[in-house]
Amino acid sequence: MSTPFARINLGFSLVEMAIVLAIIALLMAGLLPTLSSQMEQGRRTETRKQLDEIQQALLGFAITNGYFPCPAVSASSGVEDRDSGTKICTGNKRAGFIPWVTLGVPKTDGWNRIFRYSASLNFTNASAVFSTSTTRDITIKTRDATGLVNLSNSNDIPVVVVSHGANGIYGTLDNGNTLPTSASTSYPNVADQQTNATGDGTVFVSRDPSGRTAPNDEEFDDLVIWISPNILFSRMVAAGKLP
């Protein structure tokens, strides 16, 4: 009788498989924070580019028309909310969502929250082209060790656009739902983001990102841009729209 060939085991044992899976898990655990950080930075970079695009679109709109657009009708309608009869913003609305359809710009930022927009009413009146002496009423603030301080001159800014950042607190999603938060407004990070999202549209806070100071605090990560009167008027003069 012939001797059968010995079996050769070319597979992995259960122990070896377990070791390989454990190594893969450790490698993935080390890579995930890096990948997450890279994705977050990508969203932030994308949002900054979108804000730059919106800023240029607003300048182009003002140069073409002699005034800025009104806020959007709603979270679902991106046309500016202007009264066709009086030619002013409906109900004197000065703060709301960016009129993305009117401007031809992105509606939402890198985190899928609608950009907030505010404009001085004197600069949105379609029946009277603004001039260098037209009254502005928006102030940009920042925060130092003493509290909130002016970053711009008081009541000096005509338009502002805000992204609510990665945490998105008080921001509005593309579907119109507002993101809730249980964070306390007694913390500056939360209070400043609430001002940017739900204030009367005359004061905005722009500062470097800041981490949580307590479990019921939030990071401050809003991105805020505005158009200074110097840039606006110089562009208008260069285009022959202002003397």
Side-chain angles (χ1 to χ4, degrees):
M1 180 180 294
S2 61
T3 303
F5 291 105
R7 292 184 178 178
I8 300 174
N9 187 1
L10 298 178
F12 290 101
S13 69
L14 290 177
V15 173
E16 290 170 328
M17 286 293 293
I19 293 173
V20 170
L21 291 174
I23 293 173
I24 292 174
L26 287 172
L27 291 173
M28 290 298 295
L31 288 174
L32 283 176
T34 301
L35 291 173
S36 177
S37 177
Q38 289 177 344
M39 289 176 64
E40 199 59 39
Q41 185 57 47
R43 293 189 184 100
R44 198 168 184 86
T45 299
E46 175 191 354
T47 300
R48 288 190 180 280
K49 290 179 179 178
Q50 291 173 316
L51 287 169
D52 288 341
E53 181 182 342
I54 291 171
Q55 186 179 55
Q56 293 306 310
L58 284 167
L59 284 168
F61 186 97
I63 290 171
T64 300
N65 298 285
Y67 55 87
F68 283 109
C70 299
V73 172
S74 67
S76 59
S77 176
V79 178
E80 65 164 344
D81 195 3
R82 185 179 300 280
D83 187 304
S84 59
T86 62
K87 296 185 179 182
I88 63 174
C89 298
T90 302
N92 280 327
K93 181 167 70 174
R94 52 96 35 76
F97 302 121
I98 191 72
W100 68 92
V101 171
T102 298
L103 289 172
V105 297
K107 173 185 180 181
T108 57
D109 60 18
W111 300 276
N112 201 37
R113 284 99 191 213
I114 306 175
F115 288 106
R116 181 166 167 79
Y117 168 72
S118 181
S120 298
L121 287 173
N122 289 338
F123 280 73
T124 58
N125 189 343
S127 63
V129 176
F130 63 76
S131 68
T132 56
S133 61
T134 300
T135 302
R136 305 175 291 277
D137 64 359
I138 299 175
T139 304
I140 309 297
K141 292 182 175 290
T142 192
R143 188 175 287 277
D144 63 14
T146 66
L148 287 176
V149 294
N150 282 3
L151 185 60
S152 73
N153 291 329
S154 183
N155 301 323
D156 192 44
I157 305 301
V159 291
V160 174
V161 183
V162 177
S163 160
H164 299 291
N167 63 31
I169 62 169
Y170 301 110
T172 303
L173 295 169
D174 187 28
N175 61 12
N177 293 332
T178 300
L179 288 173
T181 178
S182 59
S184 172
T185 54
S186 63
Y187 295 102
N189 285 352
V190 182
D192 291 350
Q193 289 174 106
Q194 184 184 50
T195 296
N196 287 344
T198 63
D200 65 1
T202 63
V203 176
F204 291 87
V205 182
S206 176
R207 57 187 178 93
D208 292 334
S210 177
R212 294 186 181 204
T213 60
N216 58 339
D217 190 12
E218 285 281 359
E219 295 181 358
F220 179 91
D221 60 0
D222 284 4
L223 294 170
V224 183
I225 64 160
W226 59 93
I227 296 177
S228 73
N230 290 338
I231 291 176
L232 173 62
F233 295 145
S234 64
R235 292 282 292 271
M236 295 285 285
V237 170
K241 299 295 183 176
L242 288 177

